[in-house]
Amino acid sequence: SASGYKRRQLERMSRLQNHCRRIADKDHKTHSPSLDDVASTLVNGFQILSQYSVLSCYVNKAGSSAWNALLAHLYNLTEYLQPQHFYMMQNELRPTEIQLRVAALTPSWIRFLMVRDPLSRLLSAYRDRIADNSHYTFQAAHYGPLILHYTRPEKRYQDDEIFYTNNTLRIIPTFQEFVRFLVQDPVEKMDPHWKPIYSHCGACTVHFTHVVHMETFTEDLVEITRECGMDSDIVSKVLQDSSYKHESKQKTSLLMTSYYATLSTELLQELLRIYNKDFILFGYDPTTFLSNLQPNITIDLDLT
């Protein structure tokens, strides 16, 4: 319902603002860091819809395909609709640094980011971008050899051993190997499909007005499209596309235990460290899930 949506948004924005203040205090800053300092690194993650006064942070594996499908329908870009190359909307709507700064500081604009439980998002990224070799992905082609060389240094694989002739992976790194590689990679160098949302979107730098959770994705976007005046018949497209995404999200949730059970306590602690701010800022608590996996794990989600 609309009232439930408004209550959720108030709770989410209150959480985000309170914890951003705590982060600033911890870093001995009296206010959020200047957008001028970080606009150049953030700009690739954003989309701007000037005629609707909307700025959104595009988050892979958190509903971005459904959102971009909506935008492709909205602008009737058949070259993206027919082959379902919705990700190309990112190139169509990327703001300039100046546009990002202006939109981020103009009170009347709607600014939203899309979020998802970090552990669910990470597993979805692994399964879709690394483990699924039914189609080519940049992530598998780029990271596959790096992961294997890092986790299996004694093997000395040649490229033709790792890849099929169509550049899909012949040898697929396990989830454990993927995580072992990920935790030693600097956050700023991470692929957007698994980079922490806090860092990718500048969660405490851009003054967001709305937080869309993948768990309430359709209802959140229906309300946002109403607020900004997008044509109401577009909303049905969100519902259709997000219902498909919901099915894949359900599948991920059923597989969480079997994948994360392969990780050591130390690896799980490293993931908590990397995604600590995502858990806290966006209201996700991994305590029950991880405690069931590893009764002795120490879960310390604290910014202080």
Side-chain angles (χ1 to χ4, degrees):
S1 68
S3 62
Y5 160 80
K6 286 179 181 171
R7 187 181 67 252
R8 282 199 309 270
Q9 284 300 330
L10 282 171
E11 289 170 357
R12 290 172 189 175
M13 293 311 303
S14 175
R15 168 185 289 275
L16 182 62
Q17 290 160 4
N18 288 339
H19 285 300
C20 283
R21 276 195 292 271
R22 289 181 64 200
I23 290 170
D25 291 343
K26 184 190 173 192
D27 294 341
H28 307 294
K29 294 171 184 170
T30 54
H31 55 79
S32 296
S34 167
L35 251 186
D36 292 337
D37 301 329
V38 293
S40 61
T41 59
L42 292 180
V43 73
N44 286 336
F46 280 81
Q47 293 171 312
I48 191 164
L49 286 72
S50 297
Q51 68 272 50
Y52 298 107
S53 299
V54 170
L55 183 73
S56 65
C57 183
Y58 171 99
V59 178
N60 295 105
K61 309 311 299 175
S64 59
S65 295
W67 171 242
N68 277 323
L70 163 74
L71 297 178
H73 285 289
L74 179 67
Y75 294 107
N76 197 28
L77 294 173
T78 50
E79 65 268 37
Y80 305 145
L81 288 170
Q82 303 304 334
Q84 296 200 339
H85 288 167
F86 302 132
Y87 63 91
M88 294 297 289
M89 293 305 300
Q90 183 60 11
N91 298 330
E92 293 283 336
L93 298 171
R94 183 178 291 114
T96 65
E97 287 181 45
I98 292 173
Q99 285 177 317
L100 174 63
R101 288 199 294 266
V102 170
L105 297 171
T106 304
S108 58
W109 276 57
I110 287 176
R111 296 175 289 275
F112 74 87
L113 74 168
M114 296 178 272
V115 304
R116 180 179 182 178
D117 169 63
L119 297 181
S120 173
R121 177 172 170 253
L122 181 64
L123 177 56
S124 179
Y126 165 75
R127 295 184 66 241
D128 179 43
R129 310 311 295 180
I130 304 291
D132 182 359
N133 65 354
S134 66
H135 62 287
Y136 170 87
T137 70
F138 165 79
Q139 288 72 24
H142 179 72
Y143 291 102
L146 296 176
I147 295 168
L148 292 172
H149 292 317
Y150 177 75
T151 58
R152 309 182 194 182
E154 73 287 351
K155 298 282 190 186
R156 300 186 181 277
Y157 290 114
Q158 301 300 311
D159 276 0
D160 60 353
E161 296 176 274
I162 296 175
F163 294 106
Y164 289 109
T165 51
N166 65 354
N167 283 329
T168 59
L169 287 175
R170 187 192 298 268
I171 302 173
I172 298 173
T174 66
F175 183 60
Q176 184 198 65
E177 290 174 324
F178 168 68
V179 173
R180 282 174 57 199
F181 175 82
L182 180 145
V183 299
Q184 57 80 48
D185 208 25
V187 166
E188 55 274 15
K189 289 187 176 180
M190 284 185 183
D191 187 271
H193 286 79
W194 49 83
K195 186 174 186 177
I197 295 170
Y198 165 79
S199 176
H200 177 70
C201 291
C204 291
T205 308
V206 176
H207 300 293
F208 287 101
T209 60
H210 299 67
V211 179
V212 173
H213 278 227
M214 194 162 172
E215 294 76 10
T216 53
F217 182 81
T218 300
E219 189 177 344
D220 291 350
L221 278 191
V222 165
E223 294 297 332
I224 286 174
T225 53
R226 279 185 192 149
E227 284 181 43
C228 70
M230 277 189 196
D231 199 320
S232 59
D233 66 0
I234 293 298
V235 170
S236 64
K237 299 296 184 186
V238 179
L239 296 172
Q240 291 166 22
D241 289 313
S242 65
S243 64
Y244 159 73
K245 289 289 156 190
H246 184 68
E247 288 168 21
S248 66
K249 179 172 74 71
Q250 291 290 87
K251 192 170 182 183
T252 298
S253 69
L254 294 172
L255 294 168
M256 289 276 288
T257 299
S258 62
Y259 278 90
Y260 279 98
T262 66
L263 305 186
S264 67
T265 307
E266 291 73 24
L267 278 179
L268 290 171
Q269 299 275 186
E270 281 295 300
L271 288 180
L272 287 174
R273 180 185 62 79
I274 289 168
Y275 295 103
N276 182 47
K277 287 176 181 171
D278 279 8
F279 285 117
I280 294 172
L281 291 173
F282 309 128
Y284 293 104
D285 186 354
T287 304
T288 302
F289 173 69
L290 292 179
S291 298
N292 287 335
L293 280 185
Q294 298 270 5
N296 297 321
I297 195 168
T298 302
I299 299 169
D300 181 22
L301 295 179
D302 190 6
L303 295 175
T304 56

mmCIF file of all heavy atoms in Angstrom, residues 4 11 19 55 116 156 190 193 198 298:
data_model
loop_
_atom_site.group_PDB
_atom_site.id
_atom_site.type_symbol
_atom_site.label_atom_id
_atom_site.label_comp_id
_atom_site.label_asym_id
_atom_site.label_seq_id
_atom_site.Cartn_x
_atom_site.Cartn_y
_atom_site.Cartn_z
ATOM 1 N N GLY A 4 2.140 2.038 3.475
ATOM 2 C CA GLY A 4 3.244 1.145 3.854
ATOM 3 C C GLY A 4 4.536 1.544 3.181
ATOM 4 O O GLY A 4 5.618 1.513 3.797
ATOM 5 N N GLU A 11 11.647 5.020 7.230
ATOM 6 C CA GLU A 11 12.558 4.188 8.030
ATOM 7 C C GLU A 11 13.906 4.037 7.328
ATOM 8 O O GLU A 11 14.966 4.150 7.964
ATOM 9 C CB GLU A 11 11.938 2.807 8.264
ATOM 10 C CG GLU A 11 10.753 2.822 9.216
ATOM 11 C CD GLU A 11 10.011 1.486 9.242
ATOM 12 O OE1 GLU A 11 10.381 0.569 8.469
ATOM 13 O OE2 GLU A 11 9.042 1.373 10.036
ATOM 14 N N HIS A 19 23.217 6.675 10.040
ATOM 15 C CA HIS A 19 24.483 5.942 9.967
ATOM 16 C C HIS A 19 25.532 6.702 9.151
ATOM 17 O O HIS A 19 26.730 6.583 9.425
ATOM 18 C CB HIS A 19 24.261 4.527 9.429
ATOM 19 C CG HIS A 19 23.648 3.607 10.441
ATOM 20 N ND1 HIS A 19 24.255 3.329 11.644
ATOM 21 C CD2 HIS A 19 22.475 2.924 10.435
ATOM 22 C CE1 HIS A 19 23.490 2.497 12.336
ATOM 23 N NE2 HIS A 19 22.407 2.251 11.637
ATOM 24 N N LEU A 55 17.341 11.116 -10.570
ATOM 25 C CA LEU A 55 18.717 10.628 -10.622
ATOM 26 C C LEU A 55 18.725 9.281 -9.914
ATOM 27 O O LEU A 55 18.254 9.167 -8.784
ATOM 28 C CB LEU A 55 19.661 11.598 -9.906
ATOM 29 C CG LEU A 55 21.160 11.249 -9.933
ATOM 30 C CD1 LEU A 55 21.753 11.492 -11.324
ATOM 31 C CD2 LEU A 55 21.910 12.065 -8.888
ATOM 32 N N ARG A 116 20.142 -4.525 -2.206
ATOM 33 C CA ARG A 116 19.769 -5.931 -2.019
ATOM 34 C C ARG A 116 20.642 -6.488 -0.905
ATOM 35 O O ARG A 116 21.745 -5.992 -0.670
ATOM 36 C CB ARG A 116 20.013 -6.693 -3.330
ATOM 37 C CG ARG A 116 19.672 -8.180 -3.291
ATOM 38 C CD ARG A 116 19.938 -8.790 -4.657
ATOM 39 N NE ARG A 116 19.582 -10.203 -4.719
ATOM 40 C CZ ARG A 116 19.686 -10.950 -5.809
ATOM 41 N NH1 ARG A 116 20.137 -10.415 -6.939
ATOM 42 N NH2 ARG A 116 19.342 -12.226 -5.786
ATOM 43 N N ARG A 156 49.142 -23.764 -13.375
ATOM 44 C CA ARG A 156 49.705 -23.074 -14.548
ATOM 45 C C ARG A 156 48.863 -23.326 -15.819
ATOM 46 O O ARG A 156 49.368 -23.814 -16.828
ATOM 47 C CB ARG A 156 51.159 -23.485 -14.792
ATOM 48 C CG ARG A 156 52.074 -23.161 -13.624
ATOM 49 C CD ARG A 156 53.534 -23.451 -13.956
ATOM 50 N NE ARG A 156 54.402 -23.173 -12.832
ATOM 51 C CZ ARG A 156 54.884 -21.980 -12.503
ATOM 52 N NH1 ARG A 156 54.560 -20.932 -13.236
ATOM 53 N NH2 ARG A 156 55.673 -21.822 -11.450
ATOM 54 N N MET A 190 36.981 -3.368 -7.636
ATOM 55 C CA MET A 190 36.010 -4.442 -7.827
ATOM 56 C C MET A 190 35.069 -4.185 -8.990
ATOM 57 O O MET A 190 34.749 -3.037 -9.308
ATOM 58 C CB MET A 190 35.185 -4.646 -6.546
ATOM 59 C CG MET A 190 35.909 -5.375 -5.456
ATOM 60 S SD MET A 190 34.796 -5.689 -4.056
ATOM 61 C CE MET A 190 35.962 -6.459 -2.926
ATOM 62 N N HIS A 193 29.388 -5.548 -10.430
ATOM 63 C CA HIS A 193 28.414 -6.587 -10.074
ATOM 64 C C HIS A 193 28.554 -7.042 -8.624
ATOM 65 O O HIS A 193 27.612 -7.599 -8.058
ATOM 66 C CB HIS A 193 28.538 -7.787 -11.011
ATOM 67 C CG HIS A 193 27.984 -7.533 -12.373
ATOM 68 N ND1 HIS A 193 28.676 -6.816 -13.328
ATOM 69 C CD2 HIS A 193 26.791 -7.881 -12.932
ATOM 70 C CE1 HIS A 193 27.929 -6.741 -14.423
ATOM 71 N NE2 HIS A 193 26.796 -7.371 -14.207
ATOM 72 N N TYR A 198 27.549 0.802 -1.091
ATOM 73 C CA TYR A 198 27.968 2.026 -0.389
ATOM 74 C C TYR A 198 29.026 2.777 -1.191
ATOM 75 O O TYR A 198 28.942 3.990 -1.380
ATOM 76 C CB TYR A 198 28.518 1.660 0.996
ATOM 77 C CG TYR A 198 29.306 2.777 1.648
ATOM 78 C CD1 TYR A 198 28.646 3.837 2.269
ATOM 79 C CD2 TYR A 198 30.690 2.785 1.629
ATOM 80 C CE1 TYR A 198 29.354 4.880 2.853
ATOM 81 C CE2 TYR A 198 31.416 3.814 2.207
ATOM 82 C CZ TYR A 198 30.741 4.860 2.816
ATOM 83 O OH TYR A 198 31.453 5.886 3.377
ATOM 84 N N THR A 298 31.979 -14.710 14.734
ATOM 85 C CA THR A 298 31.795 -13.431 15.412
ATOM 86 C C THR A 298 31.219 -12.429 14.409
ATOM 87 O O THR A 298 31.849 -12.144 13.403
ATOM 88 C CB THR A 298 33.144 -12.898 15.937
ATOM 89 O OG1 THR A 298 33.709 -13.869 16.810
ATOM 90 C CG2 THR A 298 32.949 -11.580 16.688
#
